């Protein structure tokens, strides 16, 4: 099974870039499954119901979230009715939605996707991801050996620790949230593909997606300012992971590419 996993989509510019580039990515990599972290798609914070429809309509199989998942209220009913749209499993129990799903994939077979959030330096998680992940993996393995985990976390150590904890029991552990693609894509000793951060699908002429002058002013003066998404230097980032019939990874390759179409929605 070949899976395309895309890192944090930031604002309309990132969404437009991904929608414009997906056909080329499909032609080049022929993925059986496409997973996208979309929790920053709505103006840099959250995901709207309209954006969910656009992404699923474009052939994305599963959307994952993070600490901004609940920012856009239009997503709440979608979380309750659309199982392919996830929020982290370790938020408050009464929060809308679910943290895992099993989907059918192209060519037959099934795959599970689990969405978690880090506890270190994060405020939205109710409990540690380590408190819930074993039960989620055990439940998923009853249906399929192919399991992907998105750990949306700030601390590099927490992501790496989770990768080693799940090594040999899941197909891949991929980190999101920090918006900077790491150079450590690899297969761990037990056969699990791993990368600390998928990177950002959005404007890289920025400070992790925000206009750099706003962030510089904040650091230089200490004064608050409303964050606004940047638009320049757009890249689509993520990984391609190959999974064998036993559910373990045979390869992982980081991708970082300029969008195919230069005039996608939201661009200057």
């Amino acid at each position: 099974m070949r899976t395309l996993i895309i890192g944090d989509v930031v604002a309309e510019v990132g969404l437009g870039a991904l929608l414009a580039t997906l056909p080329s990515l499909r032609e080049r990599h022929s993925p059986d499954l496409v997973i996208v972290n979309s929790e920053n798609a709505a103006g840099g914070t959250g995901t709207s119901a309209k954006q969910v429809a656009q992404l699923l309509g474009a052939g994305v199989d599963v959307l994952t979230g993070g600490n901004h998942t609940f920012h856009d209220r239009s997503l709440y009913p979608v979380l309750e009715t659309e199982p392919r749209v996830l929020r982290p499993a370790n938020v408050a129990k009464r929060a809308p939605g679910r943290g895992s799903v099993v989907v059918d994939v192209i060519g037959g077979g099934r795959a599970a996707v689990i969405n978690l959030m880090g506890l270190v330096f994060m405020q939205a998680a109710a409990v540690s991801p380590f408190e819930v992940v074993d039960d989620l993996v055990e439940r998923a393995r009853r249906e399929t050996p192919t399991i992907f985990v998105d750990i949306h976390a700030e601390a590099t150590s927490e992501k790496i620790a989770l990768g080693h904890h799940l090594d040999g029991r899941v197909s891949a552990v991929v980190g999101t949230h920090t918006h900077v693609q790491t150079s450590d894509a690899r297969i761990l000793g037990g056969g699990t593909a791993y990368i600390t951060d998928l990177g950002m699908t959005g404007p890289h002429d920025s400070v992790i997606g925000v206009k750099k002058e706003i962030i510089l002013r904040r650091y230089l003066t200490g004064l608050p300012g409303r964050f606004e998404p940047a638009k320049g230097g757009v890249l689509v980032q993520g990984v391609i992971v190959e999974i064998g019939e036993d559910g373990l990874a045979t390869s992982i390759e980081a991708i970082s590419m300029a969008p195919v179409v230069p005039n996608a929605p939201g661009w200057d």
Side-chain angles (χ1 to χ4, degrees):
M1 181 187 301
R2 180 173 293 178
T3 301
L4 170 64
I5 313 177
I6 297 294
D8 301 47
V9 176
V10 174
E12 288 291 335
V13 63
L15 179 65
L18 178 58
L19 293 174
T21 307
L22 264 176
S24 176
L25 288 169
R26 289 186 181 280
E27 183 177 354
R28 180 180 303 182
H29 298 289
S30 301
D32 303 298
L33 179 70
V34 179
I35 304 167
V36 173
N37 186 292
S38 64
E39 71 114 22
N40 288 308
T45 309
T47 312
S48 70
K50 178 181 177 180
Q51 291 169 332
V52 167
Q54 289 176 297
L55 287 162
L56 295 182
V60 175
D61 296 289
V62 179
L63 298 176
T64 57
N67 56 306
H68 294 308
T69 291
F70 301 117
H71 183 82
D72 192 309
R73 291 179 176 272
S74 72
L75 188 67
Y76 293 6
V78 178
L79 288 168
E80 294 285 20
T81 59
E82 176 50 79
R84 296 174 295 168
V85 180
L86 302 180
R87 47 80 167 161
N90 55 323
V91 296
K93 290 183 178 180
R94 295 186 180 182
R98 59 194 59 76
S100 64
V101 68
V102 177
V103 295
D104 297 325
V105 300
I106 295 173
R110 311 189 82 195
V113 181
I114 297 171
N115 191 184
L116 299 168
M117 184 158 52
L119 187 65
V120 180
F121 306 130
M122 304 282 278
Q123 296 180 344
V127 297
S128 165
F130 293 90
E131 290 287 330
V132 302
V133 69
D134 291 330
D135 287 342
L136 291 168
V137 169
E138 182 179 349
R139 192 183 313 158
R141 287 182 66 86
R142 294 172 192 158
E143 299 189 56
T144 177
T146 305
I147 304 169
F148 299 91
V149 178
D150 175 347
I151 170 64
H152 196 81
E154 184 75 30
T156 298
S157 58
E158 190 173 20
K159 298 179 188 182
I160 294 174
L162 188 72
H164 287 299
H165 178 64
L166 297 177
D167 186 22
R169 293 191 286 152
V170 303
S171 307
V173 175
V174 298
T176 55
H177 178 65
T178 53
H179 293 195
V180 178
Q181 189 177 75
T182 53
S183 60
D184 61 341
R186 65 194 189 274
I187 298 178
L188 302 176
T192 293
Y194 176 84
I195 187 170
T196 298
D197 201 278
L198 293 171
M200 177 178 70
T201 295
H204 285 252
D205 184 13
S206 68
V207 177
I208 60 173
V210 178
K211 289 182 177 179
K212 51 184 181 286
E213 57 269 24
I214 294 174
I215 302 301
L216 288 172
R217 183 168 61 246
R218 187 166 180 149
Y219 278 123
L220 290 168
T221 68
L223 298 177
R226 181 181 178 183
F227 286 2
E228 296 179 35
K231 292 187 177 182
V234 180
L235 293 173
V236 176
Q237 294 188 321
V239 293
I240 293 288
V241 186
E242 292 270 7
I243 307 298
E245 293 184 1
D246 59 358
L248 297 178
T250 58
S251 69
I252 178 171
E253 174 190 357
I255 60 171
S256 181
M257 61 182 292
V260 171
V261 181
N263 60 346
W267 300 2
D268 284 337

